[in-house]
Amino acid sequence: MRSDVFSDKAFNKKLFRITIPVSLQNLMLAAVAACDAIMLGRVDQNAMSAVSLAGQIQFVQNIFFWASTGAASVLGAQYYGKGDEKTLTKIFGLCLKINLIVSVLFFAGCECVPEVLMGIYTNESVLISIGARYLRIAGWSYLITGLSQTCLTDLKVTGHVTAGAVISSTAVVGNIFLNAVLIFGLLGAPALGVEGAATATLLARIIEGSLAVLFLFRKDCIGIPVSVFFHRSGVIFRDFMKCALPILASGSLWGFGFSLYTAILGHLGTDAAAANSVSAVVRDLFCCLCNGIATGANIVLGNEFGAGNTEKGKRYGERIAVYSILTGLVTCALILAITPLVLAFYRLTPQASTYLTQMMVIMAIYMIGRCINTILINGVFYSGGDILFDAVSLAVCMWGIAIPLSLLSAFVFRFPVPVVFACTCLDEVGKLPWVFSHFKKYRWVKNLTRKDTEQ
């Protein structure tokens, strides 16, 4: 362990100035998903299930947004560190164009064929009908999300991460409040149920998008001029796609892989499905910190590489590696500590409670690997444009090892539920030697900026 990890105040200030707001922002986003499920669950079980399934449409849309905003973050951090604002506006202009195209396509699907989209996830006519009603309203929010995500990425990369977190958190709080008002008919409003949840989502996105756009008009911000939206740069486009396509591949592999994990455990009975659902909520809440540190690492290291400070970036990467290990160990301990509280909070059958206890112990160990891998792969490696490693590691460890073993243990060998759950956690633990070996080779140390981007 480096002896100067905690003593370098300048480095820690840079890292945690980004990490803390982003972690809180992620926590708020995880909280709104939990509140949606709780509120609709009190109205009707079918309403909760239908909206949960309908939310998969936005999840798929977000995979495309992760690719475009991820590429903008990787390239943008380096060009911001270099001080090249002109190229930075081109990058965000390209990101905005891609996100608006994706937004229009998903909006059109939700408005024109919502029943077809719901039919992908369920064959229950009642759930398809409820979900279609939700999508016809919420689909308008999908049209806005591309704009807001681009603006928030701009703020994050250009040193306004706190403002971006405040804007997102304001929208989240508004979403929760409007959910309560419109779902249950509080404060004199009509009780709209599912339509109320969709309307609350739409209004929250309008708030978020409006605030983000307005903030970019400040003099100290690097905005996205309309002229840049129509600008073409072959060099920037090629560099952008070199980042975006691997992120899209890794996002797809990860997203559909986790959906398959859920499906596997969902076929092992209601007790297994319930315990897995609770463990997933806990996992998502505790991932907020490591995701925040990964974002901070991406920007801090990217700034140094873009500015030409390669050796300084390497030293920062070594310190962040130490933080990744500490984060994993602390997260493991916290999950074990709160397990009794989680069991007391949820009303589960005795069998489901037994499963959940065993899953929490397994997940605590899993989170050591998850934290380390997230911070090193999505933070350190991404900062130098080493993005393909993420997709390859997911293809090998998740789709080549964890998923086949999970399927075999569940449906061929009929192993107990905790064993199946452990198999779904193998990918993060199995990656560790490979990730550390790759880290030590320093192939992720790259300056992605160019002198001439007018080609």
Side-chain angles (χ1 to χ4, degrees), residues 58-107:
Q58 188 173 32
F59 176 76
V60 175
Q61 183 192 45
N62 283 338
I63 291 176
F64 289 95
F65 289 155
W66 290 336
S68 57
T69 59
S73 294
V74 170
L75 289 174
Q78 292 213 6
Y79 278 103
Y80 185 71
K82 184 181 179 182
D84 188 347
E85 294 186 7
K86 186 177 181 181
T87 300
L88 200 57
T89 58
K90 295 177 186 178
I91 291 169
F92 286 118
L94 178 58
C95 180
L96 181 59
K97 283 189 279 188
I98 293 172
N99 283 352
L100 289 181
I101 291 171
V102 172
S103 295
V104 169
L105 291 175
F106 277 83
F107 163 75

Short mmCIF file of all heavy atoms in Angstrom, two decimals, residues 58-107:
data_model
loop_
_atom_site.label_atom_id
_atom_site.label_comp_id
_atom_site.label_asym_id
_atom_site.label_seq_id
_atom_site.Cartn_x
_atom_site.Cartn_y
_atom_site.Cartn_z
N GLN A 58 -36.80 1.65 -20.48
CA GLN A 58 -35.87 2.73 -20.18
C GLN A 58 -34.48 2.19 -19.86
O GLN A 58 -33.48 2.84 -20.17
CB GLN A 58 -36.38 3.59 -19.03
CG GLN A 58 -35.54 4.84 -18.81
CD GLN A 58 -36.12 5.78 -17.79
OE1 GLN A 58 -36.76 5.35 -16.84
NE2 GLN A 58 -35.90 7.07 -17.97
N PHE A 59 -34.41 1.01 -19.25
CA PHE A 59 -33.12 0.40 -18.96
C PHE A 59 -32.34 0.16 -20.24
O PHE A 59 -31.13 0.45 -20.32
CB PHE A 59 -33.32 -0.91 -18.20
CG PHE A 59 -32.04 -1.66 -17.94
CD1 PHE A 59 -31.17 -1.24 -16.96
CD2 PHE A 59 -31.71 -2.78 -18.69
CE1 PHE A 59 -29.98 -1.93 -16.72
CE2 PHE A 59 -30.54 -3.47 -18.46
CZ PHE A 59 -29.67 -3.05 -17.47
N VAL A 60 -33.02 -0.34 -21.28
CA VAL A 60 -32.37 -0.57 -22.56
C VAL A 60 -31.94 0.76 -23.17
O VAL A 60 -30.83 0.89 -23.72
CB VAL A 60 -33.30 -1.33 -23.52
CG1 VAL A 60 -32.67 -1.46 -24.90
CG2 VAL A 60 -33.63 -2.71 -22.97
N GLN A 61 -32.81 1.78 -23.08
CA GLN A 61 -32.45 3.11 -23.58
C GLN A 61 -31.21 3.63 -22.87
O GLN A 61 -30.31 4.21 -23.49
CB GLN A 61 -33.62 4.07 -23.38
CG GLN A 61 -33.34 5.48 -23.94
CD GLN A 61 -34.37 6.49 -23.48
OE1 GLN A 61 -34.72 6.54 -22.30
NE2 GLN A 61 -34.85 7.32 -24.40
N ASN A 62 -31.15 3.40 -21.56
CA ASN A 62 -30.02 3.89 -20.78
C ASN A 62 -28.71 3.24 -21.18
O ASN A 62 -27.63 3.84 -21.01
CB ASN A 62 -30.28 3.66 -19.28
CG ASN A 62 -31.25 4.66 -18.71
OD1 ASN A 62 -31.44 5.74 -19.26
ND2 ASN A 62 -31.87 4.31 -17.60
N ILE A 63 -28.76 2.01 -21.70
CA ILE A 63 -27.54 1.36 -22.17
C ILE A 63 -26.90 2.19 -23.29
O ILE A 63 -25.68 2.38 -23.34
CB ILE A 63 -27.82 -0.08 -22.64
CG1 ILE A 63 -28.18 -0.97 -21.44
CG2 ILE A 63 -26.62 -0.66 -23.39
CD1 ILE A 63 -28.56 -2.38 -21.82
N PHE A 64 -27.75 2.70 -24.20
CA PHE A 64 -27.24 3.55 -25.28
C PHE A 64 -26.73 4.88 -24.72
O PHE A 64 -25.71 5.40 -25.19
CB PHE A 64 -28.35 3.80 -26.31
CG PHE A 64 -28.70 2.59 -27.12
CD1 PHE A 64 -29.74 1.76 -26.75
CD2 PHE A 64 -27.97 2.25 -28.25
CE1 PHE A 64 -30.07 0.63 -27.49
CE2 PHE A 64 -28.28 1.13 -29.00
CZ PHE A 64 -29.33 0.31 -28.61
N PHE A 65 -27.43 5.43 -23.73
CA PHE A 65 -26.98 6.68 -23.12
C PHE A 65 -25.66 6.48 -22.38
O PHE A 65 -24.80 7.36 -22.38
CB PHE A 65 -28.04 7.23 -22.16
CG PHE A 65 -29.26 7.77 -22.84
CD1 PHE A 65 -30.48 7.84 -22.18
CD2 PHE A 65 -29.21 8.23 -24.14
CE1 PHE A 65 -31.61 8.35 -22.79
CE2 PHE A 65 -30.33 8.74 -24.78
CZ PHE A 65 -31.53 8.80 -24.10
N TRP A 66 -25.51 5.34 -21.72
CA TRP A 66 -24.25 5.05 -21.03
C TRP A 66 -23.09 5.06 -22.02
O TRP A 66 -21.99 5.53 -21.70
CB TRP A 66 -24.30 3.69 -20.34
CG TRP A 66 -25.22 3.64 -19.16
CD1 TRP A 66 -25.63 4.69 -18.39
CD2 TRP A 66 -25.87 2.49 -18.63
NE1 TRP A 66 -26.50 4.26 -17.41
CE2 TRP A 66 -26.67 2.91 -17.54
CE3 TRP A 66 -25.88 1.14 -18.97
CZ2 TRP A 66 -27.45 2.04 -16.78
CZ3 TRP A 66 -26.64 0.25 -18.22
CH2 TRP A 66 -27.41 0.70 -17.14
N ALA A 67 -23.33 4.52 -23.22
CA ALA A 67 -22.27 4.46 -24.23
C ALA A 67 -21.89 5.86 -24.70
O ALA A 67 -20.70 6.20 -24.76
CB ALA A 67 -22.73 3.61 -25.41
N SER A 68 -22.88 6.68 -25.02
CA SER A 68 -22.59 8.01 -25.56
C SER A 68 -22.03 8.94 -24.49
O SER A 68 -21.02 9.63 -24.71
CB SER A 68 -23.84 8.61 -26.20
OG SER A 68 -24.90 8.68 -25.26
N THR A 69 -22.66 8.99 -23.33
CA THR A 69 -22.16 9.88 -22.28
C THR A 69 -20.84 9.35 -21.70
O THR A 69 -20.00 10.14 -21.27
CB THR A 69 -23.19 10.05 -21.15
OG1 THR A 69 -23.51 8.77 -20.58
CG2 THR A 69 -24.47 10.70 -21.67
N GLY A 70 -20.66 8.02 -21.71
CA GLY A 70 -19.39 7.45 -21.25
C GLY A 70 -18.25 7.87 -22.16
O GLY A 70 -17.16 8.25 -21.70
N ALA A 71 -18.49 7.82 -23.48
CA ALA A 71 -17.46 8.25 -24.43
C ALA A 71 -17.18 9.73 -24.28
O ALA A 71 -16.02 10.17 -24.33
CB ALA A 71 -17.93 7.95 -25.86
N ALA A 72 -18.24 10.53 -24.06
CA ALA A 72 -18.05 11.97 -23.85
C ALA A 72 -17.26 12.24 -22.58
O ALA A 72 -16.44 13.17 -22.53
CB ALA A 72 -19.41 12.66 -23.79
N SER A 73 -17.48 11.43 -21.55
CA SER A 73 -16.73 11.61 -20.29
C SER A 73 -15.26 11.27 -20.47
O SER A 73 -14.38 12.00 -19.99
CB SER A 73 -17.33 10.72 -19.20
OG SER A 73 -18.64 11.14 -18.86
N VAL A 74 -14.97 10.16 -21.15
CA VAL A 74 -13.58 9.73 -21.34
C VAL A 74 -12.80 10.75 -22.16
O VAL A 74 -11.74 11.23 -21.75
CB VAL A 74 -13.54 8.34 -22.02
CG1 VAL A 74 -12.11 7.99 -22.43
CG2 VAL A 74 -14.09 7.28 -21.09
N LEU A 75 -13.34 11.10 -23.33
CA LEU A 75 -12.65 12.07 -24.19
C LEU A 75 -12.70 13.47 -23.58
O LEU A 75 -11.72 14.21 -23.61
CB LEU A 75 -13.29 12.08 -25.58
CG LEU A 75 -13.04 10.85 -26.45
CD1 LEU A 75 -13.86 10.95 -27.73
CD2 LEU A 75 -11.57 10.70 -26.77
N GLY A 76 -13.88 13.82 -23.04
CA GLY A 76 -14.05 15.16 -22.50
C GLY A 76 -13.10 15.46 -21.35
O GLY A 76 -12.55 16.57 -21.24
N ALA A 77 -12.88 14.48 -20.47
CA ALA A 77 -11.99 14.69 -19.33
C ALA A 77 -10.57 15.00 -19.79
O ALA A 77 -9.89 15.86 -19.22
CB ALA A 77 -12.00 13.47 -18.42
N GLN A 78 -10.13 14.32 -20.85
CA GLN A 78 -8.77 14.56 -21.33
C GLN A 78 -8.65 15.91 -22.03
O GLN A 78 -7.68 16.65 -21.83
CB GLN A 78 -8.33 13.41 -22.24
CG GLN A 78 -8.14 12.10 -21.52
CD GLN A 78 -7.03 11.25 -22.12
OE1 GLN A 78 -6.31 11.67 -23.02
NE2 GLN A 78 -6.87 10.04 -21.60
N TYR A 79 -9.63 16.25 -22.88
CA TYR A 79 -9.57 17.54 -23.56
C TYR A 79 -9.77 18.70 -22.59
O TYR A 79 -9.22 19.78 -22.79
CB TYR A 79 -10.59 17.60 -24.70
CG TYR A 79 -10.10 16.93 -25.96
CD1 TYR A 79 -10.54 15.67 -26.32
CD2 TYR A 79 -9.18 17.57 -26.79
CE1 TYR A 79 -10.08 15.05 -27.47
CE2 TYR A 79 -8.70 16.96 -27.94
CZ TYR A 79 -9.16 15.69 -28.28
OH TYR A 79 -8.68 15.10 -29.41
N TYR A 80 -10.53 18.47 -21.52
CA TYR A 80 -10.69 19.52 -20.50
C TYR A 80 -9.37 19.71 -19.75
O TYR A 80 -8.97 20.84 -19.45
CB TYR A 80 -11.81 19.13 -19.53
CG TYR A 80 -12.12 20.21 -18.51
CD1 TYR A 80 -12.75 21.38 -18.87
CD2 TYR A 80 -11.77 20.04 -17.16
CE1 TYR A 80 -13.04 22.37 -17.94
CE2 TYR A 80 -12.05 21.03 -16.22
CZ TYR A 80 -12.68 22.18 -16.62
OH TYR A 80 -12.95 23.17 -15.68
N GLY A 81 -8.68 18.60 -19.46
CA GLY A 81 -7.37 18.71 -18.83
C GLY A 81 -6.36 19.41 -19.73
O GLY A 81 -5.48 20.13 -19.25
N LYS A 82 -6.50 19.22 -21.03
CA LYS A 82 -5.62 19.88 -22.00
C LYS A 82 -5.96 21.35 -22.16
O LYS A 82 -5.13 22.14 -22.62
CB LYS A 82 -5.74 19.15 -23.35
CG LYS A 82 -4.82 19.66 -24.44
CD LYS A 82 -5.06 18.90 -25.73
CE LYS A 82 -4.14 19.41 -26.85
NZ LYS A 82 -4.38 18.72 -28.13
N GLY A 83 -7.20 21.73 -21.80
CA GLY A 83 -7.64 23.12 -21.97
C GLY A 83 -8.19 23.42 -23.34
O GLY A 83 -8.30 24.59 -23.74
N ASP A 84 -8.59 22.39 -24.11
CA ASP A 84 -9.11 22.55 -25.47
C ASP A 84 -10.64 22.60 -25.43
O ASP A 84 -11.32 21.59 -25.66
CB ASP A 84 -8.61 21.40 -26.33
CG ASP A 84 -8.94 21.58 -27.81
OD1 ASP A 84 -9.75 22.46 -28.14
OD2 ASP A 84 -8.40 20.82 -28.64
N GLU A 85 -11.19 23.78 -25.16
CA GLU A 85 -12.64 23.93 -25.03
C GLU A 85 -13.34 23.78 -26.38
O GLU A 85 -14.48 23.32 -26.43
CB GLU A 85 -12.98 25.28 -24.41
CG GLU A 85 -12.52 25.43 -22.97
CD GLU A 85 -13.00 26.71 -22.34
OE1 GLU A 85 -13.80 27.44 -22.99
OE2 GLU A 85 -12.57 27.02 -21.21
N LYS A 86 -12.68 24.16 -27.46
CA LYS A 86 -13.29 24.07 -28.78
C LYS A 86 -13.62 22.62 -29.14
O LYS A 86 -14.72 22.31 -29.60
CB LYS A 86 -12.36 24.68 -29.83
CG LYS A 86 -12.97 24.75 -31.22
CD LYS A 86 -12.02 25.44 -32.20
CE LYS A 86 -12.64 25.53 -33.59
NZ LYS A 86 -11.71 26.19 -34.55
N THR A 87 -12.65 21.73 -28.90
CA THR A 87 -12.89 20.32 -29.18
C THR A 87 -13.90 19.74 -28.20
O THR A 87 -14.72 18.87 -28.56
CB THR A 87 -11.57 19.53 -29.09
OG1 THR A 87 -10.65 20.05 -30.05
CG2 THR A 87 -11.80 18.04 -29.39
N LEU A 88 -13.88 20.23 -26.97
CA LEU A 88 -14.83 19.77 -25.96
C LEU A 88 -16.27 20.02 -26.40
O LEU A 88 -17.14 19.15 -26.24
CB LEU A 88 -14.54 20.48 -24.64
CG LEU A 88 -15.07 19.83 -23.35
CD1 LEU A 88 -14.55 18.40 -23.19
CD2 LEU A 88 -14.66 20.66 -22.15
N THR A 89 -16.54 21.19 -26.96
CA THR A 89 -17.90 21.47 -27.42
C THR A 89 -18.29 20.56 -28.58
O THR A 89 -19.45 20.17 -28.71
CB THR A 89 -18.04 22.94 -27.86
OG1 THR A 89 -17.10 23.23 -28.90
CG2 THR A 89 -17.81 23.88 -26.69
N LYS A 90 -17.33 20.20 -29.42
CA LYS A 90 -17.62 19.27 -30.52
C LYS A 90 -18.01 17.90 -29.98
O LYS A 90 -18.93 17.24 -30.48
CB LYS A 90 -16.40 19.11 -31.43
CG LYS A 90 -16.00 20.36 -32.19
CD LYS A 90 -14.74 20.09 -32.99
CE LYS A 90 -14.22 21.35 -33.65
NZ LYS A 90 -12.97 21.08 -34.39
N ILE A 91 -17.31 17.46 -28.94
CA ILE A 91 -17.59 16.15 -28.34
C ILE A 91 -19.01 16.12 -27.77
O ILE A 91 -19.77 15.18 -28.00
CB ILE A 91 -16.56 15.83 -27.24
CG1 ILE A 91 -15.18 15.59 -27.86
CG2 ILE A 91 -16.99 14.62 -26.42
CD1 ILE A 91 -14.05 15.54 -26.86
N PHE A 92 -19.39 17.17 -27.03
CA PHE A 92 -20.72 17.20 -26.45
C PHE A 92 -21.80 17.42 -27.50
O PHE A 92 -22.93 16.95 -27.35
CB PHE A 92 -20.80 18.25 -25.35
CG PHE A 92 -20.08 17.85 -24.10
CD1 PHE A 92 -19.01 18.59 -23.63
CD2 PHE A 92 -20.45 16.71 -23.41
CE1 PHE A 92 -18.33 18.22 -22.48
CE2 PHE A 92 -19.77 16.32 -22.26
CZ PHE A 92 -18.70 17.07 -21.80
N GLY A 93 -21.46 18.14 -28.58
CA GLY A 93 -22.41 18.27 -29.68
C GLY A 93 -22.71 16.94 -30.33
O GLY A 93 -23.87 16.61 -30.63
N LEU A 94 -21.66 16.12 -30.53
CA LEU A 94 -21.85 14.78 -31.09
C LEU A 94 -22.64 13.90 -30.14
O LEU A 94 -23.53 13.15 -30.55
CB LEU A 94 -20.48 14.16 -31.39
CG LEU A 94 -20.47 12.73 -31.94
CD1 LEU A 94 -21.28 12.64 -33.23
CD2 LEU A 94 -19.04 12.27 -32.18
N CYS A 95 -22.32 13.98 -28.85
CA CYS A 95 -23.05 13.21 -27.84
C CYS A 95 -24.52 13.57 -27.85
O CYS A 95 -25.40 12.70 -27.78
CB CYS A 95 -22.44 13.48 -26.46
SG CYS A 95 -23.24 12.60 -25.10
N LEU A 96 -24.83 14.87 -27.97
CA LEU A 96 -26.22 15.32 -27.98
C LEU A 96 -26.95 14.80 -29.20
O LEU A 96 -28.10 14.35 -29.11
CB LEU A 96 -26.27 16.85 -27.94
CG LEU A 96 -27.66 17.48 -27.92
CD1 LEU A 96 -28.45 17.00 -26.71
CD2 LEU A 96 -27.56 19.00 -27.93
N LYS A 97 -26.31 14.83 -30.36
CA LYS A 97 -26.95 14.33 -31.58
C LYS A 97 -27.32 12.86 -31.44
O LYS A 97 -28.44 12.45 -31.77
CB LYS A 97 -26.02 14.53 -32.79
CG LYS A 97 -25.99 15.94 -33.30
CD LYS A 97 -25.24 16.04 -34.62
CE LYS A 97 -23.75 16.09 -34.41
NZ LYS A 97 -23.01 16.39 -35.67
N ILE A 98 -26.38 12.06 -30.95
CA ILE A 98 -26.64 10.63 -30.79
C ILE A 98 -27.76 10.39 -29.78
O ILE A 98 -28.68 9.60 -30.02
CB ILE A 98 -25.35 9.90 -30.35
CG1 ILE A 98 -24.32 9.95 -31.48
CG2 ILE A 98 -25.64 8.46 -29.95
CD1 ILE A 98 -22.95 9.44 -31.08
N ASN A 99 -27.71 11.09 -28.66
CA ASN A 99 -28.72 10.90 -27.61
C ASN A 99 -30.11 11.32 -28.06
O ASN A 99 -31.11 10.69 -27.69
CB ASN A 99 -28.33 11.66 -26.35
CG ASN A 99 -27.24 10.95 -25.57
OD1 ASN A 99 -26.88 9.81 -25.88
ND2 ASN A 99 -26.70 11.60 -24.56
N LEU A 100 -30.20 12.38 -28.85
CA LEU A 100 -31.51 12.81 -29.34
C LEU A 100 -32.09 11.81 -30.33
O LEU A 100 -33.31 11.56 -30.34
CB LEU A 100 -31.41 14.20 -29.98
CG LEU A 100 -31.17 15.36 -29.00
CD1 LEU A 100 -31.10 16.68 -29.76
CD2 LEU A 100 -32.27 15.42 -27.94
N ILE A 101 -31.24 11.22 -31.16
CA ILE A 101 -31.71 10.18 -32.09
C ILE A 101 -32.26 8.98 -31.31
O ILE A 101 -33.35 8.46 -31.60
CB ILE A 101 -30.58 9.74 -33.03
CG1 ILE A 101 -30.22 10.88 -34.00
CG2 ILE A 101 -30.99 8.49 -33.82
CD1 ILE A 101 -28.97 10.63 -34.82
N VAL A 102 -31.51 8.54 -30.29
CA VAL A 102 -31.96 7.43 -29.46
C VAL A 102 -33.27 7.79 -28.75
O VAL A 102 -34.21 6.98 -28.70
CB VAL A 102 -30.88 7.06 -28.42
CG1 VAL A 102 -31.41 6.03 -27.42
CG2 VAL A 102 -29.64 6.52 -29.12
N SER A 103 -33.36 9.01 -28.24
CA SER A 103 -34.56 9.46 -27.53
C SER A 103 -35.78 9.41 -28.43
O SER A 103 -36.86 8.94 -28.02
CB SER A 103 -34.37 10.89 -26.99
OG SER A 103 -33.36 10.94 -26.02
N VAL A 104 -35.64 9.90 -29.66
CA VAL A 104 -36.77 9.92 -30.60
C VAL A 104 -37.23 8.51 -30.93
O VAL A 104 -38.43 8.22 -31.00
CB VAL A 104 -36.39 10.69 -31.88
CG1 VAL A 104 -37.44 10.49 -32.97
CG2 VAL A 104 -36.22 12.18 -31.59
N LEU A 105 -36.29 7.59 -31.12
CA LEU A 105 -36.64 6.21 -31.46
C LEU A 105 -37.42 5.54 -30.32
O LEU A 105 -38.44 4.88 -30.55
CB LEU A 105 -35.38 5.41 -31.78
CG LEU A 105 -34.65 5.80 -33.09
CD1 LEU A 105 -33.35 5.02 -33.22
CD2 LEU A 105 -35.55 5.54 -34.30
N PHE A 106 -36.95 5.69 -29.09
CA PHE A 106 -37.65 5.07 -27.96
C PHE A 106 -38.98 5.76 -27.67
O PHE A 106 -39.95 5.10 -27.30
CB PHE A 106 -36.75 5.08 -26.72
CG PHE A 106 -35.78 3.95 -26.68
CD1 PHE A 106 -34.58 4.01 -27.36
CD2 PHE A 106 -36.08 2.78 -25.98
CE1 PHE A 106 -33.69 2.95 -27.35
CE2 PHE A 106 -35.20 1.72 -25.95
CZ PHE A 106 -33.99 1.80 -26.64
N PHE A 107 -39.03 7.07 -27.86
CA PHE A 107 -40.29 7.79 -27.72
C PHE A 107 -41.32 7.28 -28.72
O PHE A 107 -42.47 7.02 -28.37
CB PHE A 107 -40.05 9.29 -27.92
CG PHE A 107 -41.29 10.08 -28.19
CD1 PHE A 107 -42.18 10.38 -27.17
CD2 PHE A 107 -41.56 10.54 -29.48
CE1 PHE A 107 -43.34 11.11 -27.42
CE2 PHE A 107 -42.71 11.26 -29.74
CZ PHE A 107 -43.61 11.56 -28.71
#
